[in-house]
Amino acid sequence: MDLQQVKNDLEQRLPKARYEHVLRVTDTAKKLAEEVGVSVEKAEIAGLFHDYAKFMDKDELLELLKRDEEYELYAQYHAELWHAPVGAMLAKERYGVEDHDILQAIRFHTTGRAEMSELEKVIYIADLIEPGRKFPGIEELRQRIDGEPLEDQMTECIQHTFKFLVQRYAVIFPHSFDCYNEHVRRRKEQ
Ligand SMILES: [Fe+2]
Ligand SMILES: [Fe+2]
């Protein structure tokens, strides 16, 4: 795959700030992948594509989503979530990305899920902590997870996301609950 071509495409599709976020996520994902022994090449592709569909029109997203096996579920939740499965769909259809793990990493980068692969966790974490992120508590989160096993990093990140969502009375997507519960159970067993 010609990654420069993907970058050019992204630059056209996304506002400048979002494009730069994508580059920082990709960079962060590659470093984390290297640290934890995940394929850096796969992390790069998943990182580049993770927000591919982020700025598509809501109606267009919904139309594409109709072909998704979880359409009924996604359609009941916030449109903010739709770019993730559609991004995976377009990476496959427009760029021939066939690798299931890469596609899943794109698909679940916003919600997480139970039984995430290592690559999925790398992309989820990189999206949350890339150096451009400025939310309250981000520095503490970065320090807390730095150098920790990937699974523990993911536990901290999903807990952080839950705190954030609950504080805002946000509706929580079922896969995110599954992810959170899995990590809390694992921690209790330790
Ligand atoms: Fe996203
Ligand atoms: Fe993102």
Side-chain angles (χ1 to χ4, degrees):
M1 189 189 311
D2 181 352
L3 294 184
Q4 191 52 51
Q5 192 193 331
V6 178
K7 287 181 191 171
N8 294 345
D9 188 6
L10 286 165
E11 208 172 0
Q12 298 296 315
R13 299 175 60 81
L14 302 173
K16 189 164 182 280
R18 180 57 50 167
Y19 175 62
E20 287 169 357
H21 159 76
V22 165
L23 296 183
R24 288 191 302 265
V25 169
T26 304
D27 210 46
T28 305
K30 284 168 74 180
K31 283 186 199 140
L32 183 54
E34 173 94 60
E35 276 172 35
V36 298
V38 167
S39 162
V40 174
E41 200 188 337
K42 287 188 187 190
E44 181 166 28
I45 297 170
L48 285 175
F49 279 107
H50 88 281
D51 276 344
Y52 186 82
K54 181 82 180 181
F55 279 78
M56 284 174 84
D57 178 76
K58 198 176 154 188
D59 295 332
E60 199 182 349
L61 278 173
L62 196 62
E63 198 51 42
L64 287 166
L65 201 57
K66 283 181 183 159
R67 290 195 270 123
D68 189 275
E69 57 184 18
E70 291 189 303
Y71 165 71
E72 304 281 341
L73 177 63
Y74 277 96
Q76 292 173 51
Y77 287 85
H78 202 281
E80 183 71 19
L81 304 179
W82 300 347
H83 74 284
V86 172
M89 185 188 286
L90 296 180
K92 185 175 183 179
E93 292 178 2
R94 295 187 182 174
Y95 285 90
V97 177
E98 292 288 342
D99 186 285
H100 184 65
D101 202 14
I102 294 175
L103 295 174
Q104 295 286 86
I106 302 167
R107 182 179 180 88
F108 294 107
H109 82 266
T110 315
T111 60
R113 67 174 178 113
E115 295 178 14
M116 291 169 88
S117 72
E118 291 195 319
L119 180 66
E120 287 173 62
K121 288 173 197 150
V122 163
I123 299 299
Y124 186 97
I125 295 164
D127 191 28
L128 190 64
I129 66 155
E130 62 92 346
R133 293 289 198 195
K134 299 264 187 291
F135 54 80
I138 177 69
E139 244 346 287
E140 293 79 355
L141 178 65
R142 286 192 186 111
Q143 281 168 16
R144 216 166 37 244
I145 68 177
D146 186 42
E148 296 298 320
L150 187 64
E151 187 68 16
D152 294 336
Q153 294 193 30
M154 186 63 210
T155 303
E156 293 295 328
C157 287
I158 190 72
Q159 190 204 19
H160 173 89
T161 305
F162 260 71
K163 281 185 191 162
F164 174 86
L165 293 170
V166 168
Q167 273 172 5
R168 279 160 188 73
Y169 290 105
V171 171
I172 294 175
F173 194 69
H175 291 329
S176 306
F177 267 115
D178 294 341
C179 182
Y180 174 80
N181 287 340
E182 177 191 85
H183 283 270
V184 171
R185 283 193 186 112
R186 182 181 152 272
R187 178 148 293 187
K188 284 195 192 315
E189 282 162 11
Q190 279 177 341

